[in-house]
Amino acid sequence: MAHPKKSRVEKREHSSLQPIERSWNPQFLLCSELFFPIMPYARVFSNFMDWPSLKDLNAKIPYSIYSWCGQKINFVLQKGMRSQVGFESLYEPRIFLLGEVRTRLENWHDFFNAQIWYSFPRIKAALNMRQFFAFDELADFPWNKSPQKRMREQDYMTMFDEGGCIIAKINQKKIPFIFGHAIYERMILGDHDLSMCAIIIECEENFLFLNIKEKLRYLDMKSAKLLANREIYYTNKPFFTYSLEHAISLFNNRSNK
């Protein structure tokens, strides 16, 4: 079990840090077979010769997606330093209350975050909702800066948001669906020596016969219901450590023996 105080995307000790990739690569979906969960909605960007703008990211939202309190999600430019005080600097509350996801331009991490919003909007909204209420419990009046302390559930949720993996289990068959946008970011740099935070979602047998968009909606609904429940972060160990190498092996092993 990965402890929440460890790196959000764990790397093995002998691994060296990878350089930050600033160049746009329209063939990003081809860098790993495990990119299949974001492919239905991300493939449109394969036609782009340069980085998508915020206008592009908002225009390509495949259908209306909302925060937990019903605000329509849209991507807005991140401004200022992280230490800035004021509502504009509060990442999670702005999503929950306004539907605004602060986004950096020409940045793989934030680009893949947008793709996860496209593919798993209910899970993203559920995690944001739990982050918001944990934030609200700790925040001081006036409510214009992030609390200095964090709750256990916030650490777990951040770990999953950045480095999560949903394993769909159908009888004895298992299929890994990568959720964490930081995992996609590392993979495009060629880094596969990573550990993820995984959950298993039991699926009905007809799951195998669904198309990919139907599979995403199925996992999105079941996982969001699970992750929205605060108790799992305190009464159980919600995630287990799962290596990216294992996910690749599992995905390629069609018999899943």
Side-chain angles (χ1 to χ4, degrees):
M1 176 64 198
H3 192 278
K5 290 187 180 297
K6 290 186 179 181
S7 173
R8 295 175 183 176
V9 178
E10 297 179 53
K11 296 181 61 63
R12 299 178 186 176
E13 292 182 1
H14 65 270
S15 300
S16 59
L17 292 176
Q18 299 291 324
I20 297 175
E21 178 57 61
R22 301 293 187 187
S23 301
W24 172 250
N25 176 9
Q27 302 302 312
F28 63 93
L29 289 172
L30 301 180
C31 79
S32 172
E33 58 270 41
L34 290 180
F35 273 53
F36 76 94
I38 66 171
M39 187 174 292
Y41 304 119
R43 64 162 57 100
V44 65
F45 296 103
S46 296
N47 297 322
F48 281 52
M49 299 308 296
D50 203 353
W51 286 98
S53 65
L54 286 177
K55 182 178 179 180
D56 295 325
L57 291 178
N58 287 314
K60 301 304 181 182
I61 295 177
Y63 48 89
S64 295
I65 56 180
Y66 300 91
S67 72
W68 198 269
C69 69
Q71 296 299 312
K72 191 172 182 179
I73 293 297
N74 65 100
F75 302 97
V76 300
L77 183 64
Q78 177 171 310
K79 299 179 181 179
M81 303 295 292
R82 291 185 178 182
S83 59
Q84 178 183 351
V85 174
F87 185 76
E88 291 295 313
S89 69
L90 304 181
Y91 183 82
E92 300 289 356
R94 281 187 66 182
I95 296 175
F96 184 82
L97 297 171
L98 301 178
E100 295 180 348
V101 181
R102 292 190 309 161
T103 303
R104 293 166 293 186
L105 297 176
E106 301 184 8
N107 183 284
W108 284 115
H109 190 86
D110 288 11
F111 171 77
F112 286 124
N113 185 49
Q115 304 316 303
I116 300 301
W117 270 106
Y118 294 173
S119 303
F120 298 103
R122 291 177 179 86
I123 300 176
K124 292 291 284 187
L127 292 172
N128 170 251
M129 177 270 291
R130 287 259 49 92
Q131 291 276 17
F132 173 82
F133 285 116
F135 178 102
D136 190 38
E137 285 187 37
L138 295 174
D140 295 323
F141 182 84
W143 202 62
N144 63 359
K145 62 180 179 180
S146 297
Q148 294 183 352
K149 297 181 179 180
R150 288 172 61 87
M151 293 183 175
R152 167 177 168 157
E153 63 183 290
Q154 290 177 285
D155 289 326
Y156 277 129
M157 288 185 291
T158 299
M159 286 173 59
F160 188 77
D161 191 36
E162 298 272 350
C165 180
I166 303 165
I167 300 176
K169 183 179 180 183
I170 314 94
N171 296 326
Q172 299 303 310
K173 187 179 182 68
K174 297 178 181 178
I175 307 172
F177 287 72
I178 292 180
F179 175 83
H181 52 282
I183 300 295
Y184 288 100
E185 177 191 22
R186 300 314 302 174
M187 280 197 290
I188 204 166
L189 301 176
D191 187 0
H192 293 84
D193 195 16
L194 303 170
S195 292
M196 301 181 288
C197 303
I199 56 171
I200 292 179
I201 298 296
E202 299 280 350
C203 303
E204 299 174 359
E205 193 166 353
N206 67 353
F207 180 85
L208 295 173
F209 303 100
L210 301 176
N211 63 43
I212 182 59
K213 290 184 179 180
E214 292 170 336
K215 286 183 171 75
L216 294 176
R217 285 194 292 270
Y218 184 102
L219 292 176
D220 193 32
M221 292 182 66
K222 291 200 72 171
S223 301
K225 185 176 181 180
L226 174 69
L227 295 168
N229 184 354
R230 186 180 191 182
E231 291 185 4
I232 72 165
Y233 303 105
Y234 292 95
T235 59
N236 301 300
K237 293 181 178 180
F239 313 119
F240 60 93
T241 300
Y242 194 75
S243 74
L244 185 58
E245 290 176 348
H246 192 185
I248 293 172
S249 175
L250 183 65
F251 182 80
N252 288 332
N253 183 6
R254 301 303 182 183
S255 63
N256 285 291
K257 295 180 179 178

